[in-house]
Amino acid sequence: MTAVLTPEQIEQYNTEGYVTPVRIMDAAEAGTLRSKLEATEAARGGKLAPTERSKAHLLFKWLDDLIRDPRILDPIEQLIGPNILCWNTLFWIKEAQSPSFVSWHQDTKYWGLSSEKVITAWLALSPASLDAGCMRVMPRTHIGDVLPHDDQYHQDNLLTRGQQITEGVDDAEAIYMPLQVGEMSLHNYRLAHASGPNNTDDRRIGVSMHFMPTETGQIVGNWDSAALVRGEDTFGNFTHTPIPAADFDEEAVAFHAKAAQAINEIVYTGADENTAKL
Ligand SMILES: O=C(O)CCC(=O)C(=O)O
């Protein structure tokens, strides 16, 4: 099964800023990935350390495999071309019946990346229904100026600084992106997006993967890293992340510490407070 976007889907991505759902794998295969994640959580006493949520492909071998999987990269290549870096990978976990939410925001404001072509691929490892707090997006906000944001640091907000758009979004016009297990949504990182609480009895677990063309630069941080997942990188703007030989491979874990710290500093640039949820 390789997902190939239709011309209509490509057109929709370019004009509206998102395309969804794209089936990547069946529910059983996604369930296996969930089990691997949950086995690590169990070994940690129930949840990952906050720093393990980010640049997670350096810690989880199966996630490094996933960002190189043709089923994911083929549609990404259709949108941004053949030379592809994966900047970050992040787990988005809302416990069953939890108030966790994500406020309206645009990632382009915080990531220090020079390109307008960065794509977030969000793969559902458990049901991401409306009730479970799936993502919603504000179509076409990927075009034009970035909207004004402020930092609200709410304890239930999964975002680092509780960053929130202060004008320019309207919930009445939002498009919800429910996903079944094994499906993925794609959105431009300039697109305003948000999500609500999980009112179901299952955990809502997603993993996001952030892909960009190799010409992208880091314009906020002095040093940053990314995985070269397809093609060649003639620009050299990012140090390439090592491929872990196994989960929690020693070399990759050491690299992760530096890489996660670098992202942390970039994302909190200009913030009053670094709460390091990352
Ligand atoms: O998982 C969510 O609800 C939000 C995810 C998100 O903000 C992102 O992938 O950029």
Side-chain angles (χ1 to χ4, degrees), residues 92 94 102 105 107 120 122 133 135 159 187 193 195 204 208:
W92 295 94
K94 294 178 184 170
V102 171
H105 67 287
D107 290 311
T120 291
W122 197 105
M135 249 192 294
L159 297 179
H187 71 262
H193 56 289
S195 69
R204 196 221 63 167
S208 65

Side-chain angles (χ1 to χ4, degrees), residues 53 90-94 98-107 122 132-137 154-160 162-165 171 187 191-198 204 277:
R53 258 191 79 216
L90 269 170
F91 291 115
W92 295 94
I93 301 173
K94 294 178 184 170
S98 90
S100 297
F101 71 99
V102 171
S103 48
W104 280 110
H105 67 287
Q106 289 166 298
D107 290 311
W122 197 105
C134 67
M135 249 192 294
R136 62 187 191 281
V137 295
H154 190 288
Q155 61 171 0
D156 294 322
N157 196 335
L158 296 181
L159 297 179
T160 44
Q163 56 267 41
Q164 178 154 331
I165 293 173
D171 268 307
H187 71 262
L191 193 72
H193 56 289
S195 69
N198 180 4
R204 196 221 63 167
K277 278 194 216 166

Side-chain angles (χ1 to χ4, degrees), residues 239-262:
T239 301
H240 295 167
T241 55
I243 299 178
D247 285 1
F248 297 93
D249 166 276
E250 206 176 315
E251 184 201 347
V253 168
F255 191 99
H256 176 266
K258 183 177 176 194
Q261 180 59 27

Side-chain angles (χ1 to χ4, degrees), residues 128-142:
S129 60
L130 263 63
D131 274 356
C134 67
M135 249 192 294
R136 62 187 191 281
V137 295
M138 204 53 208
R140 298 177 295 284
T141 45
H142 65 305

